[in-house]
């Protein structure tokens, strides 16, 4: 089954109009739509073909320009001004995952994050938002270094992802994260008022129990192979859906949470991630949300709110 699915993915990826430089935007959209649909229905069969995930992620993120010269120029500049802050976090990145530790060394993480800070140091004048290193960025970089065949590809995918998919998540105030947590409470109140009321009766808001999961897009909950499967979905359909994926994880342990007199004990560490049931629930939750709330959810990782 998975080799047949891998074949179907390869068929789309190898179509001239999906891989050639001269393709029209209509062709790209068509190819990407097919990829998205297959990711939702079948998932990426990375065990059958390990080259699929990196290739698909690059297409979903629209990463075409991989200038080794530019990347090496950033690396050659050495430690950035927040190197100490980076070093305080990198050593504990996915520390309990042996497979990750074997494939991704700490110096690779430091190099990528240093280079990212240098890149944005140079682009500050042209960017509406500035970027430096903030808490959680080490965990957001980890899946790219683990998945991509080279540091070069990981760097460009990570940069594009941060700057375009969730720029407000990595501002010094973590504005997008806090907005996501408020939206999580509002969505939970609609999709499961009883669970919401139970948590509220224990003074538990999303800000208290869901901060790590929203900050890291669930990458803080092992195992890593399930995180990558969840990220296939988030990269295909939008980072905003992570808020619903966190609610889905709550709903999977709903009975225990409802019967617990101190639910925070359960919520301090979510059970091991299971990507498929979480994605399945998240997709159905979309239908329960009022359009205006869903629109807010879609925009919260990137839209700068201006005060009227």
């Amino acid at each position: 089954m998975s080799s047949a699915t891998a074949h179907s993915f390869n068929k789309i990826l190898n179509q001239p109009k999906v891989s050639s430089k001269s393709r029209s935007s209509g062709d790209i959209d068509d190819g990407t739509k097919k990829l998205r649909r297959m990711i939702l229905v079948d998932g990426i069969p990375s065990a059958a073909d390990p080259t699929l995930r990196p290739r698909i992620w690059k297409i979903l993120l629209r990463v075409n320009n991989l200038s080794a010269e530019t990347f090496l120029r950033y690396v050659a500049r050495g430690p950035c001004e927040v190197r100490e802050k980076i070093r305080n976090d990198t050593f504990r990145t996915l520390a309990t995952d042996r497979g990750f530790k074997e494939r991704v060394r700490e110096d690779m993480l430091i190099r990528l994050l240093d280079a990212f800070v240098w890149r944005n140091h140079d682009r500050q004048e042209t960017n509406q938002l500035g970027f430096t290193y903030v808490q959680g960025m080490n965990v957001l970089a980890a899946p790219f270094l683990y998945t991509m065949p080279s540091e070069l590809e990981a760097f460009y995918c990570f940069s594009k992802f941060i700057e375009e998919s969730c720029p407000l998540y990595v501002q010094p105030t973590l504005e997008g994260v806090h907005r996501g947590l408020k939206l999580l409470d509002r969505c939970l109140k609609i999709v499961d008022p009883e669970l919401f009321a139970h948590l509220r009766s224990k003074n538990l808001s999303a800000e208290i129990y869901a901060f790590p999961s929203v900050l890291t897009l669930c990458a803080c909950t092992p195992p890593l192979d399930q995180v990558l499967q969840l990220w296939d979905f988030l990269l295909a359909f939008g980072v905003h859906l992570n808020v619903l994926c966190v609610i889905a994880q709550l709903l999977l342990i709903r009975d225990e949470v409802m019967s617990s007199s101190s639910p925070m004990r359960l919520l301090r560490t979510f059970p091991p991630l299971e990507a498929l049931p979480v994605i399945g629930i998240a997709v159905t939750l979309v239908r329960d949300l009022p359009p205006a709330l869903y629109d807010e959810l879609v925009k919260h990782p990137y839209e700068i709110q201006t005060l009227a």
Side-chain angles (χ1 to χ4, degrees):
M1 170 66 185
S2 63
S3 57
T5 311
H7 178 69
S8 307
F9 270 110
N10 274 309
K11 219 163 121 187
I12 296 174
L13 293 174
N14 296 334
Q15 278 173 8
K17 63 183 180 188
V18 174
S19 53
S20 82
K21 292 249 182 345
S22 60
R23 62 205 173 170
S24 75
S25 63
D27 289 339
I28 298 170
D29 288 348
D30 196 41
T32 309
K33 265 183 201 151
K34 280 184 192 158
L35 280 179
R36 286 193 180 116
R37 199 161 49 242
M38 286 181 68
I39 288 167
L40 189 58
V41 175
D42 301 310
I44 298 174
S46 52
D49 182 350
T51 72
L52 279 175
R53 179 169 280 132
R55 286 155 69 204
I56 290 167
W57 281 19
K58 278 189 282 187
I59 287 169
L60 294 172
L61 288 163
R62 299 188 306 282
V63 170
N64 312 312
N65 176 26
L66 296 166
S67 165
E69 191 190 339
T70 307
F71 175 59
L72 292 171
R73 202 167 58 240
Y74 297 140
V75 170
R77 282 156 86 166
C80 68
E81 70 261 27
V82 286
R83 163 64 78 86
E84 275 315 297
K85 211 170 163 191
I86 292 172
R87 285 292 304 271
N88 284 341
D89 290 343
T90 47
F91 74 93
R92 52 172 168 244
T93 307
L94 306 191
T96 57
D97 191 296
R98 247 192 45 220
F100 175 76
K101 287 290 182 197
E102 280 166 15
R103 194 183 299 188
V104 180
R105 298 185 317 276
E106 189 189 358
D107 64 295
M108 291 160 73
L109 256 175
I110 292 169
R111 212 167 17 248
L112 182 146
L113 294 166
D114 265 337
F116 177 76
V117 174
W118 283 124
R119 165 186 165 95
N120 283 286
H121 186 274
D122 292 353
R123 299 166 79 224
Q124 248 156 16
E125 292 73 40
T126 55
N127 279 358
Q128 195 178 1
L129 289 168
F131 296 93
T132 181
Y133 176 78
V134 298
Q135 173 195 7
M137 233 183 223
N138 55 315
V139 184
L140 294 176
F144 293 106
L145 279 166
Y146 184 83
T147 299
M148 292 296 150
S150 67
E151 283 183 51
L152 178 72
E153 288 157 285
F155 169 75
Y156 281 106
C157 287
F158 170 74
S159 300
K160 194 86 184 269
F161 175 69
I162 291 293
E163 291 158 13
E164 291 184 11
S165 301
C166 55
L168 296 183
Y169 271 53
V170 294
Q171 294 307 301
T173 58
L174 304 179
E175 183 193 335
V177 178
H178 293 298
R179 228 193 265 178
L181 291 160
K182 286 192 180 80
L183 284 161
L184 197 157
D185 277 330
R186 287 169 61 197
C187 293
L188 183 61
K189 190 176 183 177
I190 288 167
V191 301
D192 195 332
E194 199 188 350
L195 178 58
F196 175 79
H198 178 63
L199 291 171
R200 269 298 152 102
S201 73
K202 309 292 180 192
N203 291 322
L204 288 178
S205 64
E207 194 79 48
I208 294 168
Y209 65 81
F211 181 79
S213 297
V214 172
L215 175 74
T216 64
L217 306 180
C218 291
C220 61
T221 307
L224 183 56
D225 67 314
Q226 297 297 303
V227 170
L228 298 178
Q229 226 176 312
L230 188 68
W231 275 39
D232 295 339
F233 168 68
L234 295 177
L235 291 177
F237 294 97
V239 162
H240 64 282
L241 288 165
N242 179 57
V243 168
L244 300 183
C245 290
V246 180
I247 292 178
Q249 289 174 79
L250 276 180
L251 296 178
L252 287 168
I253 53 167
R254 184 185 192 281
D255 293 347
E256 297 96 297
V257 173
M258 287 300 292
S259 58
S260 170
S261 54
S262 53
M264 190 57 199
R265 257 192 236 146
L266 288 167
L267 300 178
R268 198 163 280 125
T269 321
F270 277 12
L273 186 66
E274 291 178 79
L276 287 181
V278 165
I279 291 165
I281 294 167
V283 169
T284 61
L285 293 178
V286 172
R287 292 190 282 250
D288 299 333
L289 299 179
L293 177 57
Y294 185 69
D295 189 51
E296 263 188 82
L297 190 64
V298 169
K299 292 174 177 169
H300 88 271
Y302 62 83
E303 187 175 81
I304 300 165
Q305 285 181 333
T306 49
L307 295 170

